[in-house]
Amino acid sequence: MDLVVTLENLVEELKERLSKADTPEALEDLRVDVLGRKGRLAQIISHLPALPPEDRPVVGQAANRVKERCAALFRERHSALLAAREADALTRFDPTLPGRAPWRGSLHPVTLITEEICGIFTGMGFEVVSGPEVENDYYNFEALNMPPEHPARDMQDTLYITEKVLMRTHTSPVQVRTMATRAAPLAVIVPGKVYRRDSDLTHTPMFHQIEGLMVDNGITMAHLRGTLTAFVRAVFGFRTQVRFRPSFFPFTEPSAEVDISCCLCGGKGRHKDESCRVCKGTGWVEILGCGMVDPAVFSAVNYPDRVSGFAFGLGVERVAMLKYGIGDLRMFFENDVRFLRQFA
Ligand code: DAH
C-alpha cells in the first residue's frame, strides 16, 4: 500500500507548493506539473498495472480521491488570487480624481448670428416664419414684381429644377407666401438657406439670408429707418453709424441699401496706417437691402390699398464676417474645427 501513502503525500506537498504560487500564471504551471498528462499524479498511476490485481481497486479509488482533492485546492487558490488582485486594484484607484472633460461642441457662426438677429427682431415684436427652399417661379419672381424678362431670372443666377420650379434665390418669396395666407397687420422675420449658381471667393452656391416684412396701416420709411438702425446698433454696437443709400429692387419702391460705419476702422477709412481692407478706405460697408413694399406686390396678394409696409433682406454670412472679422467666405463651409471652436 505504499502507493496510497505516496498519493496522500501528494496532497500535502501540493498544499505547501500552492501557498508559494502567487500569480495565476504560477498556479497554472503548478497545475500542469501535478495534474497534467505527464504530471505527478499520472506518474504515480502509471505504476498501477504492476500491482497485484486485488490491490488495484483500493489504489485506484485513492487516486480518484486525491485527484478531486487536488482540483478543489487549485480552484480555491485560483479564486483567492483573483480576489487579491481585485482588492489591490481598488487600493490604486482614486475615485476623487477629476474626470477627463468631454469635448464640447459649439454653434456654427451662421447659427449664432441667425439666432442673435432673430432674437433682436422678436424682441421688437416680429414673428419668425419659414418657407420652402424648393420654390415656384411665381413666389420667387412673378409675385415679387419680376416679369419673365427680368435679369434676376437669368439662367446664370438661378438653379432651376424644372421650367417653373427652382431653388429659391432669396428669402423674399416668403413675404408673398405669408401675405397670401394672412391679413395685415403683420411683422415677420424669415431666416433660411438660399441658392444661386455662383461660386468664387465671395460667393457660394448656398448661403443664408434673413428677410423682414412689416405691414400695417400707416407704415412709413421712418419705421423702416428706426427699426433697421436699432437692429444694426444691437448687432454692431451703439456707436455704429447708419446710412441709407437710394437703390433699386423690383419688389420695393422706394428702395435703399443700408451701409454701416466700418467695424474695422470705425469709419475712418484707414487701419494700421493703411487703407482699410474691409471698407476699401471708404469708411462704410453695405449690410442689407430694403424698401417700402411695392404696390404691385400688395396687389399680387390682394391686400387693400390702405396698407403700407417695409421689407428688408440681409446676408447672414456677410453679417458674421463683418462682426467677427472673418476674411474668407469659404471658412463657413469647410467645417474646420479650429475655426469652429473659436465660437464656443
Ligand atoms: N431679396 C434681395 C436679395 O436677395 C434682398 C432684399 C432687398 C430683400 C430688398 C428685401 C428688400 O426684402 O426689400 O438680394
Side-chain angles (χ1 to χ4, degrees):
M1 290 293 122
D2 287 356
L3 273 184
V4 175
V5 177
T6 313
L7 282 165
E8 303 290 351
N9 285 345
L10 186 59
V11 176
E12 290 314 306
E13 183 200 319
L14 179 61
K15 283 184 185 163
E16 166 86 25
R17 291 177 70 189
L18 273 176
S19 66
K20 289 181 195 133
D22 46 14
T23 64
E25 296 73 33
L27 193 64
E28 177 60 13
D29 288 346
L30 183 54
R31 198 190 59 77
V32 171
D33 188 50
V34 176
L35 297 181
R37 219 151 39 82
K38 295 178 182 159
R40 302 284 307 283
L41 186 65
Q43 279 167 23
I44 300 170
I45 293 171
S46 70
H47 298 299
L48 207 65
L51 292 182
E54 63 275 21
D55 289 347
R56 286 182 206 161
V58 185
V59 177
Q61 280 162 15
N64 280 339
R65 261 200 326 276
V66 165
K67 186 176 178 181
E68 261 156 45
R69 184 85 186 92
C70 289
L73 286 171
F74 273 111
R75 280 197 298 277
E76 244 167 60
R77 182 66 180 155
H78 186 67
S79 354
L81 284 180
L82 286 187
R85 201 174 247 204
E86 208 162 286
D88 184 53
L90 277 178
T91 63
R92 274 185 245 264
F93 173 67
D94 180 355
T96 65
L97 281 176
R100 285 202 190 103
W103 179 289
R104 270 189 80 180
S106 53
L107 291 178
H108 192 280
V110 167
T111 307
L112 284 174
I113 291 287
T114 301
E115 285 184 355
E116 181 180 350
I117 294 176
C118 288
I120 292 165
F121 281 103
T122 53
M124 291 195 270
F126 285 73
E127 184 190 333
V128 179
V129 299
S130 61
E133 291 170 27
V134 177
E135 190 50 286
N136 297 320
D137 178 282
Y138 174 76
Y139 291 108
N140 197 83
F141 293 128
E142 188 98 44
L144 287 166
N145 199 26
M146 273 181 270
E149 65 283 0
H150 193 278
R153 299 176 149 224
D154 198 307
M155 289 291 287
Q156 296 296 314
D157 300 318
T158 307
L159 287 155
Y160 281 93
I161 290 169
T162 68
E163 205 187 321
K164 287 286 172 199
V165 181
L166 44 85
M167 300 307 291
R168 68 176 178 195
T169 56
H170 51 180
T171 43
S172 305
V174 188
Q175 284 187 32
V176 183
R177 285 183 173 274
T178 306
M179 289 191 282
T181 52
R182 289 163 60 166
L186 51 84
V188 294
I189 189 100
V190 190
K193 292 181 165 69
V194 301
Y195 302 83
R196 288 183 197 176
R197 254 179 73 160
D198 224 347
S199 189
D200 58 37
L201 274 185
T202 52
H203 297 89
T204 47
M206 184 281 291
F207 60 103
H208 299 79
Q209 283 190 338
I210 296 180
E211 190 83 12
L213 172 71
M214 178 180 271
V215 184
D216 200 350
N217 298 332
I219 296 291
T220 70
M221 205 131 182
H223 296 108
L224 170 63
R225 279 196 71 119
T227 305
L228 292 182
T229 303
F231 152 69
V232 159
R233 294 197 170 145
V235 175
F236 293 99
F238 68 95
R239 284 202 178 81
T240 311
Q241 295 301 303
V242 183
R243 163 171 103 170
F244 286 69
R245 199 165 24 79
S247 185
F248 173 81
F249 298 102
F251 33 90
T252 44
E253 182 60 35
S255 304
E257 275 168 319
V258 174
D259 297 338
I260 62 170
S261 50
C262 179
C263 344
L264 184 64
C265 66
K268 288 191 286 288
R270 293 192 73 74
H271 179 67
K272 292 183 180 161
D273 282 341
E274 278 173 33
S275 175
C276 176
R277 62 180 164 80
V278 171
C279 64
K280 312 236 157 48
T282 63
W284 297 96
V285 287
E286 185 193 320
I287 174 118
L288 56 80
C290 63
M292 301 306 293
V293 178
D294 194 293
V297 177
F298 281 142
S299 74
V301 295
N302 294 317
Y303 262 30
D305 285 343
R306 60 178 167 78
V307 297
S308 58
F310 69 75
F312 59 90
L314 59 87
V316 178
E317 283 84 357
R318 179 158 179 80
V319 173
M321 287 173 85
L322 290 171
K323 177 156 175 153
Y324 297 125
I326 300 164
D328 187 342
L329 179 68
R330 291 168 299 186
M331 293 253 186
F332 290 105
F333 306 105
E334 282 169 352
N335 293 328
D336 185 332
V337 286
R338 292 169 303 178
F339 171 70
L340 296 173
R341 285 185 83 185
Q342 297 177 65
F343 301 92

